[in-house]
Amino acid sequence: MVSTARDISFKTNGLTREVSTSFGYSTSPTATFQSPPSSYGGAQLSRTTTGAFAKQLKPFATEDIKILLLENVNQTGRDILAKQGYQVDFVKSSLGEDELIEKIRDVHVIGIRSKTKLTARVLREAKNLIVIGCFCIGTNQVDLNYAAQHGIAVFNSPFSNSRSVAELVIGEIISLARQLGDRSNEMHKGTWNKVSSKCWEIRGKTLGIIGYGHIGSQLSVLAEAMGMSVIYYDTVNLMALGISKQVPSLEALLRGADFVTCHVPELPETKNLIGPEQFSQMKDGSYLLNASRGSVVDIPALIDAMRSGKIAGAALDVYPAEPGGNGDYFLNSLNPWAEGLRSLKNVILTPHIGGSTEEAQSAIGIEVSEALVRYVNEGTTLGAVNMPEVNLRSLTVEEPNHVRVVYIHHNVPGVLRKVNEILGDHNVDKQTTDSRGEVAYLMADISNVNTHEIKDLYESLESLSSRIMTRVLY
């Protein structure tokens, strides 16, 4: 007789089970310019080592899992979460801080994209929150340290939209080289202006890529296929794809490239990475593209470089301040230089659409939603950006009296001894732990646990002074 996988919460009484069918996962990004090395795919999670069917675990009654999805998360992700039986509240736009606080109070899972800001003030009110899904690459919109210190895991999609961004940049390079934006605008106004002056083929030109991660490396391959030479700069040594070459400094890249494109994360050291000094180092008549983060380029300095003729064209997809929704917002009231930027010739301005393709959003929806399901159901943190990455093989239906303990705690001496004193009355089948800074994450599967013992087990762990969050899954 197959036993039913049950879950525990001392706030609810319902017991249910649901089997998830997807086990893919992504590696987590690093804090440097580069993305995870070698393979883009990551390993695959195996169901079990015995061939038995995996038993899916949930920490609450399914009908009580509350999920809030903001910013029009793709239907693929919503379907995966709804299939689990979770209560999914879907909102197309982002929310302001006060409204978000009201919505997040009783939510266990929240999914966002790039506009929603999960500050410490917001997270402080999210008493039930256990995990955040960023349906995008970036996580700078989340206070990652506060989330980790309160046992809230954060997942993202580090590479699912890489191809879409790379293709956009290729299109912009051609458009800038041929001044297509200006010619199109003129034709829309009824003006026929057939010119070839300062219009170029991109074949034989040099593309300089700042940040050779998932996007930068794909862009490198596409550019070479179109006859461009590629040089790149990164903070670490990375294997070159094709015949591209890594240069030793940012200055070397700027002096050698006809087109410069930025693909770096938002970090203190990347703020105004391209400013007056860097523009002076670029070739006369060169081009700048930025589809990474709005803080990377000093835009007033770019405007000056464009007006002086130093820079022949630019393409921007990201900005220091961006509206929370669609509308007539790209004005000086949002960014004081907006109207000056809009007045320039051969400047392509797009509203942060680098990853906005059907393919990318579908892949992101699947990747992040599956990570959320694994975390809620099994406690697996593989791919988390703010927690140690910990995983145990799945429990099976042949292990009916097993309990999985997840204990998130402060990384201080003596914790394992105290935890194992509590678990010691049971047979610990498997256990793993890892730490990341001040936070540690322990997972253990224990067997021969009677139902009436589970509450005592939970309360004993909750009473430890090192405790950040305790989850008991069965």
Side-chain angles (χ1 to χ4, degrees):
M1 187 73 175
V2 177
S3 66
T4 300
R6 295 172 295 174
D7 45 73
I8 186 167
S9 169
F10 298 106
K11 297 180 181 179
T12 60
N13 297 316
L15 301 173
T16 56
R17 180 171 73 93
E18 182 78 25
V19 176
S20 173
T21 57
S22 182
F23 293 86
Y25 75 96
S26 69
T27 55
S28 62
T30 65
T32 57
F33 289 2
Q34 88 280 6
S35 299
S38 64
S39 171
Y40 291 127
Q44 290 293 311
L45 291 172
S46 60
R47 287 189 170 219
T48 69
T49 57
T50 65
F53 287 106
K55 179 172 69 174
Q56 297 299 314
L57 307 173
K58 295 182 181 179
F60 305 96
T62 302
E63 64 271 20
D64 290 326
I65 284 283
K66 294 182 179 179
I67 298 181
L68 175 62
L69 298 180
L70 303 177
E71 301 184 67
N72 204 26
V73 168
N74 192 266
Q75 187 67 48
T76 55
R78 284 141 55 190
D79 289 344
I80 288 170
L81 298 171
K83 184 179 178 182
Q84 294 293 316
Y86 305 150
Q87 294 181 18
V88 180
D89 185 6
F90 170 70
V91 179
K92 284 191 173 183
S93 64
S94 61
L95 299 177
E97 191 169 74
D98 291 338
E99 187 177 1
L100 182 57
I101 285 174
E102 291 302 316
K103 293 280 284 186
I104 205 174
R105 290 190 194 279
D106 61 347
V107 166
H108 303 106
V109 181
I110 186 168
I112 63 172
R113 292 175 68 188
S114 57
K115 297 293 187 296
T116 301
K117 307 299 181 186
L118 295 179
T119 62
R121 177 174 177 250
V122 172
L123 295 177
R124 193 175 297 116
E125 301 298 323
K127 304 302 183 185
N128 293 333
L129 192 65
I130 60 172
V131 62
I132 297 166
C134 296
F135 287 77
C136 53
I137 291 179
T139 56
N140 56 294
Q141 69 275 40
V142 180
D143 189 327
L144 296 177
N145 183 62
Y146 184 93
Q149 291 292 333
H150 291 78
I152 304 167
V154 180
F155 294 88
N156 72 333
S157 178
F159 59 83
S160 287
N161 68 357
S162 301
R163 177 70 182 204
S164 295
V165 177
E167 288 186 4
L168 175 68
V169 173
I170 285 289
E172 291 176 336
I173 290 171
I174 296 172
S175 296
L176 291 173
R178 298 295 298 273
Q179 301 177 17
L180 295 183
D182 289 352
R183 299 294 85 77
S184 177
N185 288 337
E186 290 163 356
M187 289 291 285
H188 278 278
K189 295 175 182 178
T191 301
W192 185 279
N193 184 24
K194 183 178 179 179
V195 296
S196 59
S197 176
K198 300 187 183 304
C199 294
W200 316 97
E201 292 182 355
I202 66 169
R203 179 181 56 175
K205 305 302 186 294
T206 299
L207 174 63
I209 301 173
I210 305 173
Y212 202 67
H214 292 307
I215 296 171
S217 56
Q218 285 207 43
L219 177 59
S220 171
V221 173
L222 294 176
E224 282 191 1
M226 301 192 74
M228 300 188 80
S229 299
V230 176
I231 58 177
Y232 65 91
Y233 169 69
D234 205 294
T235 55
V236 297
N237 291 326
L238 294 170
M239 183 183 72
L241 300 182
I243 58 172
S244 62
K245 296 179 181 179
Q246 185 164 6
V247 294
S249 67
L250 177 59
E251 181 177 351
L253 181 140
L254 296 174
R255 293 191 183 280
D258 301 301
F259 296 83
V260 174
T261 181
C262 304
H263 302 283
V264 300
E266 184 173 62
L267 300 169
E269 55 265 39
T270 63
K271 183 177 176 61
N272 291 332
L273 182 69
I274 306 298
E277 180 182 356
Q278 288 71 36
F279 284 118
S280 69
Q281 294 167 354
M282 292 175 67
K283 289 184 177 182
D284 291 343
S286 58
Y287 304 83
L288 177 74
L289 303 93
N290 183 25
S292 59
R293 287 292 177 260
S295 61
V296 171
V297 175
D298 181 342
I299 296 183
L302 170 62
I303 294 172
D304 290 342
M306 288 283 298
R307 287 175 173 166
S308 71
K310 176 71 175 180
I311 303 300
L316 301 177
D317 188 47
V318 290
Y319 311 91
E322 298 180 358
N326 295 338
D328 297 330
Y329 302 122
F330 198 65
L331 306 169
N332 281 3
S333 56
L334 181 69
N335 292 294
W337 36 255
E339 293 170 28
L341 183 66
R342 287 164 45 198
S343 69
L344 297 174
K345 293 290 188 180
N346 206 26
V347 172
I348 299 171
L349 303 177
T350 50
H352 204 151
I353 58 170
S356 296
T357 63
E358 294 286 355
E359 294 89 347
Q361 292 307 307
S362 175
I364 290 171
I366 293 170
E367 181 181 10
V368 177
S369 291
E370 288 180 347
L372 295 176
V373 169
R374 284 194 301 272
Y375 185 77
V376 172
N377 290 5
E378 299 188 15
T380 298
T381 58
L382 292 174
V385 301
N386 69 330
M387 288 277 186
E389 295 189 272
V390 177
N391 182 44
L392 288 177
R393 69 170 177 83
S394 300
L395 291 173
T396 74
V397 293
E398 296 174 357
E399 300 168 302
N401 295 319
H402 285 58
V403 167
R404 173 162 293 179
V405 172
V406 174
Y407 186 66
I408 309 172
H409 60 90
H410 298 291
N411 187 20
V412 294
V415 175
L416 291 182
R417 175 176 55 82
K418 293 180 179 179
V419 169
N420 286 326
E421 285 176 357
I422 295 171
L423 303 182
D425 292 335
H426 307 278
N427 182 41
V428 179
D429 284 358
K430 49 189 180 291
Q431 183 183 67
T432 184
T433 185
D434 198 0
S435 62
R436 181 171 180 170
E438 299 177 354
V439 176
Y441 195 97
L442 179 148
M443 292 178 68
D445 288 346
I446 57 179
S447 59
N448 301 319
V449 181
N450 296 320
T451 303
H452 69 270
E453 297 175 302
I454 295 175
K455 184 175 181 180
D456 291 339
L457 181 66
Y458 176 87
E459 291 179 346
S460 296
L461 292 169
E462 281 282 282
S463 68
L464 297 179
S465 60
S466 61
R467 172 260 182 199
I468 293 176
M469 181 181 291
T470 306
R471 302 175 66 206
V472 179
L473 319 177
Y474 82 116

